[in-house]
Each structure stands twice: as C-alpha cells, then as structure tokens.
Amino acid sequence: MSRVVVTGRVPDAALEKLRAEHEVDAWAGPESIGREELLRRVAGADAIVSLLTERVDGELLDAAGPQLKVVSNVAVGYDNINVPACTERGIVATNTPGVLTEATADIAFGLILMATRRLGEGERLIRAGQAWKWGMFFLLGSSLQGKTLGVVGMGGIGQATARRAKAFGMDIVYQSRSEIDPAIAAELGARRVDLDELLTVSDVISLHCPYGPATHHLIGAEQLSAMKSSTYLVNTARGPIVDEAALAAALREGVIAGAGLDVFEHEPKVHPELLDLENVTLVPHLGSATVETRTAMAVLAADNALAVLRGEQPPTPIG
Ligand code: DGY
C-alpha cells in the first residue's frame, strides 16, 4: 500500500478509487492548503494528486522524498508544475485533458455572448435599481452572425469553441503550432493564419493556448492595438497570457470594444481598473466548474496516479 497525498478537496468518487488501493491523506480544509502544511504533509508520499492552486516545484518534490513516483494534476493546464524538475527526478507528471473540453468551451462561448451582447451591463443596471425601458438604441451590442472568430491555440477546447461559433454563423480563423486535422478544419471551415493576421481580421478573439514562457503576455499593448476597435477578447486559458494592465487601458480607451475573462494574471486578484469598466465581463475561473466535469477530472487524476503506482502507463501523461 502506497501513500497518496491529495492537496485539496476533490469529489468523493476520486477519493474512493484512491482509498480502495492506498492510504490517502487528503487536505479537507475550506481554504487552500498553506505551503508549510503542504511541504510537511507530502513527506513520504508515493503520489501527489495536485490542484492547480498548488505550486509543484523542486522544493516540494524534494520535501516528498525519493520514493515519489507521480504528480497527478487535477487540471489540463499544468503551469503550476515544474515538469522538468519532475523528469529530472524520474517522477511521472500527468494532467486531465479531454474531460473538461466541452465545459470550458461553454464558458468561452458564454463570455463571448456576455461581452458582445452586454449582458453583464444589463444585469448590473437592473440590480442597481436604475430606471430603464425598452429603447431602439438601449444597450445595443454586436451580432455574431457573419463575423470572424479568431482562436489562439486550436487544441480540443479551441476546436470545441470554434464548433459553437460555427453554429452561430461565424467564420473561423485560428493560430496554432500545427495544422489541425484537415477533416475538422473542413467541418469548421477553419483557416490557419499567423497571429498578426488573426489579430487584424477577427471580430472576436478567444484564447486557448497553454501558458508558459512562450505565451507570457502574448496579448499586450501592441497586439491590442493591432485589433479592430470593434473586437472583443475572451480568455478562458490562463491569466498571464494577457497583460492585464494593457488590457484595462485598451478597454478604457476604446482600443477594443470589450472583453470576457475567466482567468486573471494574478489570480485570484483582478486588476483594479477592470473592476470599474462596464465593457468587461469578469467570472472567477469557472471554465471546468460543473459537477460532472470536476468529477471526471478528479477521477481521471486518480486513475493516472493509480496506474503509475501499479507500474502501468498512466492514461494521460504530460508530454
Ligand atoms: C484547467 O484544467 O486547466 C482549468 O483551468 C481548470 O478549471
């Protein structure tokens, strides 16, 4: 029997799977586990099931000890994990791709609708008790039909967002490290372009690339200036892909029309200027937040850890 440390609260279905085979030490506090407590608890762990709020770096891996075999992240994004540090120590790192694709694309498209149709503004106005009545020019937004969606990062979530956009009558361009499957490109009518072209032709830009040194501030003042003043930017990937101060300035000065953000550069902090702007919709990292999706993520993370502890290939290793 091995020792598995789970760094935060996860659905019971995952804990039951882990407990059926191993001794499980799962943090159950309402707040995230503190760093000191985490460093203490991982000592002697054979597996760590980590949440994206915990930094898994060399210090943590060393605190666990040389018996540690696997770090299983309950997220598709793994910017909280120092993967080379795992590899150097012979530790397998895994994530949870696939199971949160549709839920995250739903939130991306929800933000596209909220931003372009000014739903947040309308809701705030009613809740503030402001007087209003139907008017020909009251809270007019932008239609999506016939407009162009630019998808940055055309993996599973980008493709699922593009599929929703197609159903809304949008044209699709995308920027990605590689061409997507030609059959899917044909189904979506999606054309691969470089980032510069995407920025200038898109009416809505949705970010779905992974975060890392190559994508830090991928969207900054220069890129925002390259967009049309009628463009909307949506980010459901990772906050630091966007220079939040530059975005706040662009939204305030009308450089772009609006934005929808599910993720933030210094999460959970939000740039204070964004809070005062009407043309940005802000939601608290809800991309994968459905009961079904979170359960599937946690169960997949458990399966990954269990496979490595059995000496088997995990279902979804990183890299
Ligand atoms: C992920 O899995 O990376 C998501 O951000 C979690 O919601």
Side-chain angles (χ1 to χ4, degrees):
M1 191 177 266
S2 298
R3 184 170 132 72
V4 180
V5 171
V6 183
T7 71
R9 293 179 61 215
V10 296
D12 286 344
L15 289 178
E16 281 160 18
K17 282 196 124 179
L18 292 167
R19 283 186 179 129
E21 294 184 39
H22 301 290
E23 176 204 324
V24 177
D25 177 3
W27 175 253
E31 305 288 337
S32 292
I33 188 168
R35 182 74 179 174
E36 289 309 313
E37 177 69 13
L38 180 60
L39 289 171
R40 202 180 58 73
R41 285 210 181 198
V42 295
D46 301 283
I48 298 175
V49 175
S50 55
L51 302 192
L52 59 80
T53 42
E54 270 66 65
R55 197 173 73 250
V56 180
D57 54 10
E59 182 191 34
L60 187 83
L61 300 174
D62 291 340
Q67 75 298 325
L68 182 65
K69 293 176 193 62
V70 55
V71 171
S72 173
N73 213 33
V74 192
V76 64
Y78 50 86
D79 47 299
N80 60 313
I81 298 183
N82 184 335
V83 178
C86 291
T87 312
E88 275 164 24
R89 292 163 175 78
I91 298 162
V92 178
T94 66
N95 67 340
T96 61
V99 290
L100 48 84
T101 299
E102 302 301 331
T104 308
D106 286 344
I107 286 287
F109 217 79
L111 284 172
I112 292 172
L113 287 169
M114 287 192 76
T116 57
R117 300 301 302 275
R118 304 173 67 176
L119 299 181
E121 272 181 85
E123 225 243 355
R124 285 191 291 279
L125 175 145
I126 288 185
R127 285 185 186 276
Q130 287 181 31
W132 66 278
K133 65 178 180 188
W134 187 93
M136 191 60 112
F137 300 100
F138 178 57
L139 277 188
L140 298 191
S142 294
S143 297
L144 294 177
Q145 294 70 31
K147 301 280 177 60
T148 297
L149 173 72
V151 179
V152 178
M154 195 64 156
I157 300 172
Q159 290 176 28
T161 303
R163 199 162 285 119
R164 284 155 178 73
K166 186 172 161 61
F168 275 71
M170 299 186 79
D171 299 322
I172 318 291
V173 295
Y174 72 95
Q175 183 262 331
S176 221
R177 276 175 298 191
S178 47
E179 289 276 354
I180 59 169
D181 178 339
I184 296 174
E187 172 208 331
L188 296 172
R191 187 168 64 87
R192 186 171 172 222
V193 296
D194 63 23
L195 184 63
D196 289 344
E197 182 176 347
L198 182 144
L199 296 175
T200 55
V201 302
S202 301
D203 300 292
V204 177
I205 295 174
S206 194
L207 304 178
H208 298 286
C209 51
Y211 175 67
T215 55
H216 180 77
H217 284 188
L218 183 72
I219 304 296
E222 190 187 325
Q223 291 71 29
L224 290 158
S225 301
M227 297 175 194
K228 297 186 265 192
S229 57
S230 52
T231 293
Y232 296 83
L233 176 71
V234 165
N235 188 8
T236 53
R238 282 292 182 268
I241 296 170
V242 176
D243 177 343
E244 222 165 79
L247 176 63
L251 290 167
R252 193 182 54 241
E253 291 158 17
V255 174
I256 65 168
L261 303 177
D262 182 43
V263 288
F264 301 90
E265 188 170 353
H266 303 290
E267 214 167 295
K269 291 199 185 99
V270 177
H271 194 287
E273 282 183 36
L274 291 174
L275 300 173
D276 293 331
L277 293 169
E278 285 292 354
N279 56 349
V280 60
T281 302
L282 309 167
V283 294
H285 205 148
L286 298 178
S288 63
T290 71
V291 172
E292 296 85 347
T293 303
R294 288 284 165 82
T295 302
M297 289 164 69
V299 167
L300 176 53
D303 286 341
N304 275 320
L306 290 170
V308 176
L309 293 175
R310 284 186 207 119
E312 296 166 5
Q313 176 71 8
T316 52
I318 293 170

